[in-house]
Amino acid sequence: MVLYTKPPTVEKVEKALEHRGWIIAAVPQKGGKPFIAGVLKSLDEKLGLGLDSLVSSGRFAGKKGELLEIPRGETNVILVGLGEDPDAETVRRAYAKAIKKVVNSAEEVLILVSQLDEGLRMDALVGALLGAYALEAFKTEKKRKLSKIFIDSSANEREALAIAEGVYLARDVANAPPNHVYPEALAAKVESVFKGLGVSVEVKRYDDLVKEGFGGIVNVGKGSARKPLLIILKYGKKEKPSLALVGKTVVFDAGGINLKPSHSLFAMRHDKAGGAAVLGAVYTIAKMGLPIDLVALIPAAINVPSGESYLPSDVIRLWDGTWVEVGNTDAEGRLTLADAIAYAAKHFDADTIITMATLTGSIVAALGSLIAGLFTSDDSLKEKMLEASRRSGDKLWPMPLEDDYRSLLAKSAKLGDVNNVAVRWGDAIYAALFLERFSHGKKFVHIDMAGPGIGADPPVTPPDYWPRGAPGYGARLIYELAKILSSKN
Ligand code: BES
Ligand code: ZN
Ligand code: ZN
């Protein structure tokens, strides 16, 4: 079961070069020249591609990202360069770039990967799968034709597909329009997506949230006729989770009474990209059966102005009893997350809490649209996160939980304990310190992914495997982290 979009199926073939149709061949360089050996040599000989003359005439040099289509009628070849000593990210981008050439024209494609080091073959497949995504659930006429990828060697197909499905899920959720994925609809979809995966799904609805004192989620979401709810997923054998994942899931962020200007509104359907990343990661973790015990919290809400909305200057009581003064209704993510973080810390007693959130414009000002900010005071977790970032290609940069800014939390509140806003500059840091306060001494990591969560802003060029809109940032990052954490246990 998927949300909207299914990746192509994958099938290994023995006699790859008998394939008719499209073939993608990524070519590494050695000593500045395309290195044609193994399956590439056989391909050249069999189809008479004349690679030597393509190289000597300067039409193909195998440089990173270079692409050459060789249409030959029955069998067509796309060469894509990898440069010298390609790494995983280069390989993912190359296969994504090449497959984009055929997703709308071919039903099947063969990707050659046996010419790569064994450790890079799965990255090739992942790149191809991620490059084949397009959200077309709301198009009457679908453009995407590709439904099958053949591959000429084993490449951890099961894991590659589990990863791709997780990212597709994250992309579908993050890109879906708010009239289709509102809180109740998301809960229903999550229940069906995770059926049979060994993940339990519990939904706390509005009345429960009010009764149990989730004042952050309730206040942020109460302005909409479509009321907020809290989705709780549990995976693993133990009752006590070692890991809690909390994802900002503001289905649409109009800003509330502090209404955003028109030009800022359209991107705000992606304000659920943090929750989407968490859902995608949990999906892959469960599919692969990683030995880890986790809980995922998805507080889903719509932040809009109405006669029922919470107001600037309201003082609201959060789940853990903290009184928060609402300085700005558009700083809503930190309120829904504060409830969920405190619940993860105190109710679930999780050892480590990680938040994924499109939290602040401030982090976009600092790091742009390709990089997320990493906030943690735990050095060991910081290193593991950065390693997961290197492995996945989901970029992260460390940001400070600056102690000298901590006093702002209390200082900015006149009536309550803390204010949800305090500063003109450095709001990403203030928001992170605000969230940390609710982790009640647990190990805490916060990822402010407001940039990559909503996708690259021109003129920035995104990685080739990013689609238009939200790229599903963070799903692979958290999956890689879970792999690191579970292998150390
Ligand atoms: N969802 C936004 C943050 C955001 C901005 C995400 C740009 C993606 C791209 C968040 O809820 C917000 O509105 N933050 C305000 C906070 C301010 C009122 C203190 C902001 O950053 O302007
Ligand atoms: Zn907002
Ligand atoms: Zn928001």
Side-chain angles (χ1 to χ4, degrees), residues 248 250 253 260 268 271 303 330-333 358-359:
K248 175 173 172 182
V250 175
D253 179 15
K260 287 181 185 296
M268 287 304 124
D271 211 19
N303 186 26
D330 196 11
E332 82 297 338
T358 49
L359 201 63

Side-chain angles (χ1 to χ4, degrees), residues 28 82 85-92 95 113 115-127 154-155:
L82 293 169
D85 294 323
D87 58 9
E89 182 67 5
T90 303
V91 169
R92 280 190 292 263
Y95 281 81
V113 302
Q115 75 280 21
L116 305 173
D117 290 348
E118 247 181 274
L120 291 172
R121 291 176 190 167
M122 184 175 101
D123 302 300
L125 181 53
V126 167
S154 296

Side-chain angles (χ1 to χ4, degrees), residues 252-254 259-269 454 457:
F252 188 77
D253 179 15
L259 185 62
K260 287 181 185 296
S262 294
H263 64 88
S264 304
L265 285 176
F266 278 95
M268 287 304 124
R269 76 168 193 281
I454 70 172
D457 221 9

